[in-house]
Amino acid sequence: MPEVLANAAEAAIQTWLVQVGETVAIGQPLAEIETEKAVVEYRAETDGVLARVIVPEGVPVEVGVPIGVIAAVGEAEADIDALLAGEVPERAGAANPDSANPNSATPQAPTPDTASPDTATRVAAAPAGVVPVESAPGGQAPLAAATGGRQFASPLVRRIARERALDLSRVVGSGPNGRIVRRDLDNLQPAPAPVAAAATGPEPVTPVTPVASPPVSAPAASTVGVTAASAVDASGFTDVPHTGMRRAIARRLTESKSTVPHFYITADCRVERLLALRSEINATSPRKISVNDFIVKAVAVALVRVPAANVIWTETATRRFEHVDLSVAVSTETGLLTPVLRGVEGLTLTNISERVADLAGRARQGKLRQQELEGGSFAVSNLGMFGVDQFSAILNPPQSGILAVGAAKQRPVVDSGQLSVGTAMTVTLSADHRVVDGAVAAEWMAQFVACIENPLSIII
């Protein structure tokens, strides 16, 4: 099971895309893996034949343990058994004990000397302690714990249930072998909140003497029958349990702020020309271009003009990129995701608009692929649509820069010594001082402002 998203500790196979016995090629989608953050495709890392499925659909397992076996053409079942005899039992303690049926018997593997000494069998990465499952009709293996009375639900479904206060025991799963999937929660209503006991209930309430409590001016009769539960309700707060995604965000941003030396540069950009050009384009273009599309393009052009800013820090070297891959911050119901837009320097405004919309839509649906969440040297976070004037953002390691974009608003400006009204927006660059010096950041910001204030220069 690959660590498909940063700091993911558990995942589940949502769908096997290849049946046992089918040939697979490097890069071919092998399975869809679901975590608390998203659903991503897992692609084959070697050529061969999917010889065995170890983890069936819907069973959550820890990362780093076998989920299936890809064998070379001609390798026998004995070779696979010998491989698994040395791989699965050693890691059995790491698996979720509920992931497999405790009554299942592990197939007896032959002794190692029965296997070919030069076997080319590869393990396609997955969970520990999960009994290998033979392919069932239709290519779906039975759930290992189906007979144990446990309800199977993916990490994403369990997280949604916690956030919406849903009782999964009321749900009849429509997934493989009764697994609860996301669509099963669409029409399920939250469980009713418990009703506090009546003040005049038959059970007497033991009076509690407050310690160092100030006198209460309300009539004594008003406190008769007040229960401990109503006292808690009056405190005025609700604890919402942290999701795995929220913990990951907290951990990564805390690490970034405490280990990466941030510094900040702020500038104001006049956007009258940009807004006028955008209006002209949108008057004839079948696809509407947003201000954010111009910003993404301007960031890419500025990075091309100042390549010293298109870098990241590694432990052994400063890595300088030849192309511009930008992360675009997308707010979802579960937290912030930053899918990566590749090769922005070669994209038109229309291309950028289409790709950003596609990434944002699939991020909110939990359908991003693994490679769409990795890489990039720079990020853009735009809160202007919420009316925010100015803010600074925290770097997303290992990226070395993030541009925080505020709203474009009318404000007093000075033109040729005369006070007038203009439209401007404030942007703040957060940079990693280990690889980006102050002069480099200032040069990059000057190029970005020039691109925004002369928008024709970035589209011709």
Side-chain angles (χ1 to χ4, degrees):
M1 180 65 73
E3 188 175 4
V4 293
L5 292 171
N7 300 305
E10 183 185 73
I13 302 292
Q14 176 176 272
T15 309
W16 279 101
L17 303 177
V18 178
Q19 305 298 321
V20 171
E22 290 185 4
T23 301
V24 297
I26 294 177
Q28 177 181 346
L30 197 60
E32 291 180 339
I33 296 178
E34 185 174 23
T35 71
E36 288 192 345
K37 290 185 179 180
V39 176
V40 297
E41 284 185 349
Y42 176 39
R43 296 177 179 269
E45 300 174 359
T46 184
D47 295 326
V49 176
L50 182 61
R52 187 171 299 179
V53 168
I54 300 176
V55 178
E57 295 176 349
V59 178
V61 293
E62 292 187 356
V63 302
V65 289
I67 56 176
V69 177
I70 295 179
V73 176
E75 288 182 321
E77 288 293 317
D79 299 326
I80 301 172
D81 291 338
L83 175 71
L84 294 178
E87 180 72 20
V88 175
E90 292 179 1
R91 309 183 70 166
N96 184 340
D98 292 331
S99 298
N101 185 347
N103 299 322
S104 299
T106 304
Q108 295 295 321
T111 57
D113 59 358
T114 62
S116 171
D118 54 354
T119 177
T121 306
R122 270 82 66 188
V123 177
V130 178
V131 178
V133 181
E134 298 297 336
S135 178
Q140 294 180 350
L143 289 177
T147 60
R150 177 176 179 265
Q151 283 187 307
F152 283 94
S154 68
L156 185 63
V157 166
R158 294 200 301 271
R159 188 259 300 160
I160 294 174
R162 287 196 303 269
E163 293 177 350
R164 299 181 183 176
L166 300 177
D167 183 4
L168 290 181
S169 65
R170 301 165 54 204
V171 183
V172 178
S174 62
N177 297 301
R179 178 168 66 101
I180 301 174
V181 294
R182 184 170 183 171
R183 63 176 176 268
D184 296 326
L185 304 185
D186 291 342
N187 297 322
L188 187 65
Q189 299 299 322
V195 180
T200 58
E203 305 245 12
V205 178
T206 303
V208 179
T209 303
V211 178
S213 176
V216 180
S217 58
S222 65
T223 61
V224 176
V226 175
T227 65
S230 63
V232 172
D233 292 340
S235 61
F237 67 87
T238 301
D239 286 336
V240 179
H242 297 312
T243 64
M245 183 176 182
R246 179 51 55 189
R247 292 182 185 276
I249 291 173
R251 183 166 53 250
R252 285 182 60 81
L253 293 185
T254 300
E255 176 186 355
S256 173
K257 194 64 174 177
S258 60
T259 62
V260 177
H262 290 57
F263 75 100
Y264 310 93
I265 291 180
T266 300
D268 292 326
C269 307
R270 297 287 296 274
V271 294
E272 292 93 345
R273 291 182 181 178
L274 187 151
L275 296 177
L277 178 60
R278 173 176 174 262
S279 296
E280 291 183 26
I281 293 174
N282 287 342
T284 58
S285 174
R287 181 173 188 86
K288 302 304 180 184
I289 304 301
S290 68
V291 171
N292 194 65
D293 299 329
F294 277 95
I295 292 170
V296 171
K297 182 64 175 179
V299 167
V301 172
L303 287 172
V304 171
R305 294 178 181 177
V306 187
N310 191 20
V311 296
I312 63 170
W313 168 270
T314 72
E315 291 303 320
T316 58
T318 295
R319 182 171 298 166
R320 181 172 295 183
F321 294 96
E322 298 177 358
H323 301 284
V324 178
D325 296 340
L326 299 180
S327 292
V328 180
V330 177
S331 178
T332 70
E333 291 182 357
T334 57
L336 191 69
L337 290 177
T338 52
V340 180
L341 193 62
R342 311 284 180 183
V344 185
E345 78 280 3
L347 300 180
T348 65
L349 289 172
T350 300
N351 295 150
I352 292 172
S353 176
E354 293 171 344
R355 297 192 186 185
V356 170
D358 173 62
L359 289 172
R362 288 190 289 112
R364 296 186 178 102
Q365 296 169 7
K367 295 182 178 180
L368 289 174
R369 294 185 290 271
Q370 175 182 352
Q371 62 271 25
E372 293 171 332
L373 293 162
E374 299 175 344
S377 63
F378 204 97
V380 175
S381 180
N382 189 349
L383 295 181
M385 66 283 294
F386 299 106
V388 174
D389 292 332
Q390 178 182 350
F391 70 104
S392 56
I394 300 176
L395 290 167
N396 182 27
Q399 295 175 358
S400 61
I402 181 170
L403 187 70
V405 182
K409 293 183 177 180
Q410 288 190 328
R411 60 180 76 169
V413 296
V414 176
D415 287 321
S416 301
Q418 299 297 318
L419 184 64
S420 61
V421 176
T423 305
M425 69 179 183
T426 301
V427 295
T428 301
L429 170 65
S430 304
D432 182 350
H433 217 326
R434 295 175 300 178
V435 287
V436 179
D437 294 331
V440 172
E443 183 183 0
W444 181 88
M445 181 65 85
Q447 290 294 335
F448 173 79
V449 172
C451 291
I452 291 295
E453 295 187 346
N454 300 279
L456 276 175
S457 66
I458 65 177
I459 64 174
I460 57 175

